[in-house]
Amino acid sequence: MTQYLLYYWDVPFRGVFPQLFLEEIGADYQWHDASEIYPDKSLKIHNPGMAPPYLFDVKTEIYLAQMPAILMHLAREYDYLPKRTETLDLALKTILDCNDVLMEVTNYFGQRMWNKKDWNEFRTARLSKWMKIFEQTGLDHGLKSENGYLLGSKISVADIATTALFGTLVHSFPELEVDLLDHAPHVLKLCQRIEERPALREFLRKQREKFGQIYCGGEIEKSLREMMF
Ligand SMILES: N[C@@H](CCC(=O)N[C@@H](CS)C(=O)NCC(=O)O)C(=O)O
């Protein structure tokens, strides 16, 4: 029986976070185009949200918006939250960091297009710093090149979020893999390990076959692509 409906656009960007999680836990879910809710019905659903992704829980008939809230909800339901207070807090912090990186990479969701000067500054200063933050977080909690997870010895929602962020980014923009290798080599390996999990490998293969290297779509993706040369 269908457990969840996930509403998002036909690009990976932010929707791949909940989708990767739903695949990881083997949930029975249906993907729906965000236009079924956004914008016309945004205010008509129970628990309205500003913009996609939206998750609809079929059993409780409750909608939830905001990617971090959706991930935290699923993580709690399926025991993907660390137990200790520090790492539990860090799980939320990691998801929020991911959300910030999405916003920064897309220059505040395409409010302005990238130019070479701003992009190079962002890439060398902030993007590299974000990568180092994830790397140091992992190292502080026992992440190794061949094993371990971002927040300890057990997989958590933070690993799914980190992979949805950096795994997707370097798939869509292979030019950025060298940045991740330089600034966060253990995180790069972690993303590769998570992407190879049996529950995720086939999903990602199909999704990437369908989307190719599409990232967030629109004018801002075009602008981002121009920055890569
Ligand atoms: N903070 C929200 C942001 C949602 C959001 O910005 N969604 C984008 C697609 S990734 C959108 O459709 N925005 C249209 C709008 O904001 O009106 C979240 O994390 O879910």
Side-chain angles (χ1 to χ4, degrees), residues 1-228:
M1 193 197 112
T2 305
Q3 297 168 278
Y4 298 102
L5 309 184
L6 177 66
Y7 296 83
Y8 198 65
W9 308 113
D10 220 358
V11 295
F13 193 53
R14 201 193 297 279
V16 76
F17 287 73
Q19 199 165 10
L20 219 48
F21 195 97
L22 292 167
E23 292 288 335
E24 164 71 16
I25 58 171
D28 189 343
Y29 72 99
Q30 289 175 9
W31 183 93
H32 284 249
D33 196 82
S35 60
E36 290 181 30
I37 295 183
Y38 177 90
D40 294 352
K41 293 193 192 144
S42 305
L43 282 173
K44 295 192 181 119
I45 59 172
H46 182 62
N47 300 333
M50 177 57 84
Y54 303 97
L55 184 77
F56 180 69
D57 185 328
V58 173
K59 196 168 71 190
T60 58
E61 298 189 7
I62 286 174
Y63 283 94
L64 191 56
Q66 291 276 18
M67 182 275 274
I70 295 172
L71 277 193
M72 288 301 282
H73 168 75
L74 292 171
R76 199 172 51 245
E77 291 283 301
Y78 294 93
D79 199 18
Y80 272 67
L81 286 177
K83 299 278 178 280
R84 286 192 304 117
T85 306
E86 180 193 2
T87 43
L88 176 60
D89 293 342
L90 282 176
L92 174 59
K93 185 241 183 218
T94 300
I95 300 169
L96 295 173
D97 281 351
C98 290
N99 227 16
D100 281 9
V101 177
L102 293 181
M103 189 165 67
E104 293 191 17
V105 164
T106 53
N107 219 349
Y108 296 82
F109 310 137
Q111 276 185 19
R112 281 190 304 138
M113 296 302 115
W114 282 112
N115 61 57
K116 274 274 183 206
K117 179 177 164 292
D118 292 350
W119 168 258
N120 288 338
E121 251 172 55
F122 168 68
R123 184 174 180 177
T124 50
R126 284 193 73 96
L127 186 57
S128 65
K129 185 171 172 184
W130 277 121
M131 289 174 174
K132 288 175 192 163
I133 288 168
F134 279 79
E135 178 79 357
Q136 194 55 48
T137 303
L139 296 179
D140 285 350
H141 296 276
L143 178 62
K144 302 273 188 305
S145 200
E146 302 307 324
N147 54 52
Y149 296 98
L150 198 80
L151 301 179
S153 58
K154 191 172 169 241
I155 189 168
S156 79
V157 66
D159 301 293
I160 302 294
T162 301
T163 305
L165 177 69
F166 289 119
T168 308
L169 191 68
V170 301
H171 168 77
S172 293
F173 301 99
E175 299 84 352
L176 297 179
E177 187 169 326
V178 63
D179 301 50
L180 198 57
L181 184 63
D182 279 357
H183 306 303
H186 293 81
V187 170
L188 175 60
K189 288 279 199 146
L190 172 72
C191 294
Q192 290 167 345
R193 282 204 304 280
I194 300 289
E195 289 185 344
E196 279 304 310
R197 286 172 74 80
L200 301 182
R201 195 189 314 128
E202 188 54 15
F203 159 71
L204 284 170
R205 192 191 62 73
K206 282 197 199 134
Q207 201 202 37
R208 289 171 178 178
E209 197 175 272
K210 177 176 160 206
F211 288 149
Q213 290 187 318
I214 290 175
Y215 183 60
C216 56
E219 292 300 309
I220 189 58
E221 172 153 356
K222 277 192 217 151
S223 159
L224 258 174
R225 294 213 170 275
E226 283 164 17
M227 297 302 114
M228 298 298 151

